[in-house]
Amino acid sequence: AGHGAEVHALVFEFEDGTLRGSLQDENGRRLILPLTNVSDRLSDSAKVDRGEFIVGVSGHGTRLCYLCNDITFYLQSGRGGREISFSPDVVYGGWKGGPFDFSVESGLSFRDLEFAGGTVVHIFATTQVTTTPEP
């Protein structure tokens, strides 16, 4: 994830090398994957272990031109659940927007998120069992 005052980049790298996600440049314009310098835009990462699956996502939108204010991924495995969160380095009270909360439908596998207007508007999933991404 890329974050500073808000989350501005979120890239999922699957075990097969496939990249999915959303990125913005410093002017709020969307960038298209794949980028040769994608790692230069990411400030933080987290690994999803083999056998863990993203089952939901929640957080808050932003009133600015970024992807969102903060985001939490909910993971599930045979060992129980855990969370991975990305939030602003500095909190500006007036920037935080309304909450969002999405779940992956049972039996489906997480693929990506759709952002619009400073918030998550849709979670993409597939019936095909896929390798677990690293957000």
Side-chain angles (χ1 to χ4, degrees):
H3 58 92
E6 303 282 306
V7 177
H8 60 267
L10 195 58
V11 177
F12 304 96
E13 181 178 2
F14 292 80
E15 286 181 340
D16 65 3
T18 302
L19 295 177
R20 295 185 184 271
S22 298
L23 294 99
Q24 294 177 314
D25 69 11
E26 47 283 340
N27 297 313
R29 291 182 300 234
R30 293 287 165 100
L31 302 173
I32 306 299
L33 289 170
L35 291 175
T36 55
N37 64 341
V38 68
S39 61
D40 295 344
R41 299 194 169 275
L42 305 178
S43 56
D44 202 359
S45 66
K47 183 167 179 47
V48 176
D49 295 330
R50 183 177 297 278
E52 286 185 314
F53 299 93
I54 296 173
V55 296
V57 60
S58 70
H60 293 88
T62 177
R63 300 187 196 290
L64 301 175
C65 63
Y66 299 102
L67 297 178
C68 62
N69 179 269
D70 59 84
I71 192 163
T72 298
F73 292 91
Y74 300 95
L75 305 163
Q76 189 65 46
S77 72
R79 301 182 308 274
R82 70 179 177 111
E83 300 174 3
I84 296 174
S85 295
F86 300 103
S87 57
D89 295 334
V90 178
V91 176
Y92 297 102
W95 291 13
K96 193 173 192 175
F100 59 83
D101 188 2
F102 292 91
S103 297
V104 175
E105 194 175 318
S106 180
L108 298 181
S109 181
F110 173 87
R111 292 304 291 160
D112 204 352
L113 297 171
E114 180 180 357
F115 292 88
T119 192
V120 174
V121 295
H122 186 73
I123 189 168
F124 292 100
T126 180
T127 55
Q128 173 183 344
V129 175
T130 60
T131 54
T132 306
E134 297 180 18

